[in-house]
Amino acid sequence: MKKRKKTILKNCQRIFSMLMGMLICASLYAQDLQISGNVLDQNNGPITGASIILKGTSNGTVTDLDGHFMLYAPENATLVVSYLGYNTQEIPVGKQVKFQIVMKEDVQLLEEFVVIGYGSVKKNDLTGSISAIGEKEFSQGVMTSPSQLLTGKVAGVQITPNGGRAGSGARIRIRGGASLNASNDPLIVIDGMPIDNGDISGAANPLSTINPNDIESMNILKDASATAIYGSRASNGVVIITTKKGVESNKQNVSISSQNSIATVARKVDVMSADEYRQVIRNYPLSSQKYINWLDDADTDWQDEIFHTAFTTDNNISISGGDKIIPYRVSMGYLNQDGILKTDNLQRATVSMNLSPSLFDKHLMINLNFKATGEHHQFGNDAAIGAALRMDPTKPVKADGFEQFNGYWSWLDDKGNLNPLATVNPVALLMSRDDQSNVYRSLGNAQFDYKFHFLPDLKANLNLGYDVSQGKGNVVVPQWAPQTFSQGGEGEGGERSSYDQQKRNLLFEFYLNYNKYFEDINSRIDAMIGYTYQDWKTTAKNFPRTTYTGKVLETPTFNENIDQNTLLSYFGRLNYTLLDRYLLTATIRRDASSRFSQSNRWGTFPSVALAWRVNEESFMKGIKPLSSLKLRLGFGTTGQQDGIGNYDYIPTYSYSEGTALIQFGDQFYHTWRPNGYDKDRKWEQTETYNIGLDYGFLNNRLYGSVDVYYKKTKDLLNNIPVPMGAGYTNQIVKNIGRLHNSGIEANINWIPITSKDIYWELGFNITYNKTKIDELSLNDGMMSYAGTQVGGISGGTGSTIQIQSVGYAPNSFYVYKQLYFENNMPVEGGYADLNGDDVINEGDRYQYKKPDPDVFMGFNTNFSYKRWTASTSMRANIGNYAYNNIYSDAGNFSQVLNPSDYLMNTVRDIKNTEFYNRQLFSDLYIQNASFLKMDYITLSHDFGNISKTGVLKASFTVQNVFTVTKYDGIDPEIPGGIDNNFYPNPRTFILGLTLDF
């Protein structure tokens, strides 16, 4: 019965294809011949969905389930036969009416190479968990940082925007964080140069110094079998960036692109209007005539006053070409981006150059990369964001009688003096602060790859690289500024301060690579051994901070601070392939870091991975729809030493500054005090286990992968409080604790339609990740130890809302359990007595929810019809929570009717709680921040040749299209999970033009 149904289905599809072919060809004038045939692969299997087009026309058909086709064509026609993954063929018709067409696989596609650590391998030979994303798959919109290109595109990789500031980037997390106090950022390698992605003074984001328009592809190494070759820096994954390069061509190619956009505020915090506010002040039972008298007649939306519609222009030009000896590419870019916060601006100029000469009959391949960036930042004062939410909406921006504050309305006391505790006029905060910086960065490297003449299977690779940067700037606040008025004494207001930081990163790398295929045993060996030396140095100049007139407020102890650390490494890797289906990869790296004492300086990081191409087995050959099936197993260890001090294993001393004085008699003295140190500190180590399955069906028109992973980190570099009496001035970072990550990630890609006129592809990825702390103390019996409190908040000096606790996710919220009346109104100060001691105190706080999602996913699609293309990308987070610090701090009547003699605006939600005092630690403010976002939608058109050599393309994009969430704040996606004065991500409308000739 099943066979019969299948036969009927095939016959129906054959008849349908024939009818479609007849309809399509009905418009032809020269219908001389009815032709038919079959399209087969190299194993004589039918190819379903192959496109057969009459050359020079849009007339054609596609093959059915049996690879059969039929259409009408004149004798002088030529058939163009194409299918994804196969070479396109052109076949003259002549008088032939029956065709049997055998398609040949596209060898170049099959042998697509993926860049990995210290080399590249064929995509089909990968044994580790590696995701590759090319320029066509990058996220669209205004992209000022490479990290933004990955948003929502890769399973296991979470990209969280840092906010909407001009030049702001995003936080990258690969399979969750592997550390508590050390860095959780991945290692970033650009064209073989591991860069310093630490902060640069004066830069909103260090990666903004890299022009995304110069990037060709990004490969993400996720499991330890892929990352262990980078050893001590790979616990959080590796992002390998490859920039665009010249190609061998006798023609010179020029590409000019211009992207212009306007950005608007997507969402504002829901605070009271002036009329609503007046009603609350006049009618609240605990209000008084004093507060009512302070109301004015203005109707000011302070968020409208500090935000504006912002314009951005991003222009790039590149020239590439070169003969067979010296291919080249040179590019220049200029970005001018306004932030939606007034006075916020970034201007960036970039230059990039690549030369790829080959000498000695291509035995010596040279790759020269150079990039330089100059940035000018004008930082808008983001303190105005919080002030705009709290400033009394009945007050004007400017008013008579406030000339001493340049006309900006300000809160005064009964004597006419400035109230230093009151909310500062948000517009005054913006206009009174001139915060500018200049940042310069240059990075590059020279790689020499020599294939020995006497032994072509052996190559030597030398890589010399550098990464240098300088950030310097000045902050000038005039005397009239309310926020610093008379801070140095009567008439001594304002501020002048400067900074100047220089960083340099030098690399020397050398390795030998032996690659040999042994035909008699059908095996390939690819072995590599090498050495790396990398040195980082940071020099920061210290300047005194003064009032506007020059009165010194702070004097630095030293003229400059110098930090330096060095990493030495030996590494090796073996790739072995047997019978083209059994693969082995083994790596080992041994690192020595100057951040550890000599007894703990060296760390060893091995890994091993196995892969089995199941579809190459003889018993799988009969499964025709199956294109590829590969099983992967991997294990490895990586290390961590970033994010800690350079000299914390030796005793050091700090000079007490400011008001930190000790009194002897009638005199006060500065002192030298010991810093915390740990001579036994050693490497933090992460072990990763991974099992993966790569699959492809229907000639890889349906393909994807599934990975299950488990990571455990031991010897956590953890901040430990110093016991009283130790004399240290800070905490100690010690190797105490363990945590683990476990998860599943999957991606699926489908190309449902591919023809001459229509191309449609869809991609979906999903990741489940769980992180749990297993140990935090040396003494397992310390059951009463709740954990280390972290996550500072507004509303109370030194208050925190998160905790690191054994058995819970990192940064879990630490709160009281709120009690409610029968009408579901929360009880002010009413919390559950969780420990049962009849007292509500610190012992009743509990771990509740976490900022990281349980599941995150991404969806993208690209649809092309002739010269039109539409694409979009969406993301979703499920199970992430945020602490609404705006509501917890300002959402109470004691702040509205402030006891410090001023009025403060509040959120409309205050009516749902009616709290009089702050309830900072109530779980009421831990809100579900799950969301669905459409990151962008783009429509583009290829105008084709507008001259003999020029091709014009245009696009229109809307970025940050919509967000669906139950969260009450302006954005549910907050790095760290604490929502306090977050710089809003704008909605942006972008017009792009590209001219290639």
Side-chain angles (χ1 to χ4, degrees), residues 860-878:
N860 55 84
T861 185
N862 184 60
F863 182 84
S864 297
Y865 175 71
K866 294 186 177 180
R867 295 182 180 274
W868 291 93
T869 299
S871 60
T872 187
S873 178
M874 293 191 291
R875 287 181 298 123
N877 278 14
I878 300 174

Side-chain angles (χ1 to χ4, degrees), residues 104 286 308 614 800:
K104 294 182 179 180
L286 297 181
H308 68 159
V614 184
T800 59

Side-chain angles (χ1 to χ4, degrees), residues 6 42 68 114 127 137 163 166 287 292 394 451 499 547 551 583 680 690 743 794 842 865 877 968:
K6 189 173 182 182
Q42 290 169 297
H68 183 79
V114 175
T127 58
E137 293 81 37
S287 183
I292 296 173
T394 70
K451 180 170 62 176
Y499 55 89
T547 63
K551 181 179 179 180
L583 302 101
D680 298 320
N690 193 93
S794 293
E842 189 77 7
Y865 175 71
N877 278 14
D968 291 330

Side-chain angles (χ1 to χ4, degrees), residues 198-355:
D199 291 338
I200 301 174
S201 294
N205 163 43
L207 284 180
S208 69
T209 56
I210 310 300
N211 189 343
N213 290 280
D214 289 327
I215 296 176
E216 181 176 65
S217 66
M218 300 175 75
N219 294 349
I220 297 88
L221 283 55
K222 295 184 281 190
D223 70 334
S225 65
T227 63
I229 194 66
Y230 286 106
S232 65
R233 294 167 293 172
S235 286
N236 302 301
V238 181
V239 179
I240 298 179
I241 297 175
T242 302
T243 60
K244 298 173 185 176
K245 296 174 173 55
V247 294
E248 294 181 4
S249 173
N250 293 324
K251 296 181 180 180
Q252 189 175 76
N253 301 305
V254 179
S255 179
I256 301 173
S257 66
S258 180
Q259 192 181 74
N260 297 277
S261 64
I262 56 173
T264 61
V265 178
R267 186 178 181 184
K268 298 188 300 184
V269 176
D270 192 19
V271 296
M272 290 186 178
S273 67
D275 289 339
E276 291 171 327
Y277 188 71
R278 291 187 189 97
Q279 184 177 1
V280 167
I281 298 300
R282 288 168 178 160
N283 298 328
Y284 186 66
L286 297 181
S287 183
S288 65
Q289 192 62 41
K290 175 179 70 172
Y291 293 111
I292 296 173
N293 292 340
W294 286 342
L295 291 172
D296 279 348
D297 297 328
D299 185 359
T300 306
D301 187 325
W302 291 102
Q303 292 182 82
D304 284 349
E305 294 296 334
I306 65 168
F307 294 123
H308 68 159
T309 298
F311 177 75
T312 295
T313 182
D314 188 4
N315 304 282
N316 294 271
I317 181 171
S318 66
I319 304 172
S320 63
D323 53 25
K324 294 182 178 180
I325 298 178
I326 309 181
Y328 66 89
R329 182 181 185 273
V330 179
S331 69
M332 293 178 288
Y334 173 72
L335 169 75
N336 190 333
Q337 182 183 21
D338 286 330
I340 56 173
L341 181 66
K342 293 178 180 178
T343 74
D344 192 33
N345 174 265
L346 164 66
Q347 296 181 59
R348 180 183 69 194
T350 60
V351 176
S352 177
M353 181 178 67
N354 169 262
L355 299 175

Side-chain angles (χ1 to χ4, degrees), residues 965-976:
T965 183
K966 293 182 178 180
Y967 182 64
D968 291 330
I970 59 171
D971 199 318
E973 196 172 22
I974 305 291

Side-chain angles (χ1 to χ4, degrees), residues 787-853:
T788 304
Q789 295 189 30
V790 295
I793 58 175
S794 293
T797 303
S799 296
T800 59
I801 200 64
Q802 293 172 322
I803 194 169
Q804 315 289 23
S805 298
V806 173
Y808 297 91
N811 304 311
S812 294
F813 297 109
Y814 194 47
V815 289
Y816 292 108
K817 187 174 184 61
Q818 180 69 51
L819 298 179
Y820 296 84
F821 293 110
E822 290 182 358
N823 61 358
N824 290 325
M825 288 291 287
V827 179
E828 181 168 353
Y831 302 119
D833 182 14
L834 297 183
N835 63 3
D837 63 357
D838 295 328
V839 178
I840 303 300
N841 56 23
E842 189 77 7
D844 294 301
R845 291 175 72 176
Y846 75 112
Q847 294 83 356
Y848 177 66
K849 305 301 183 181
K850 55 185 175 48
D852 294 320

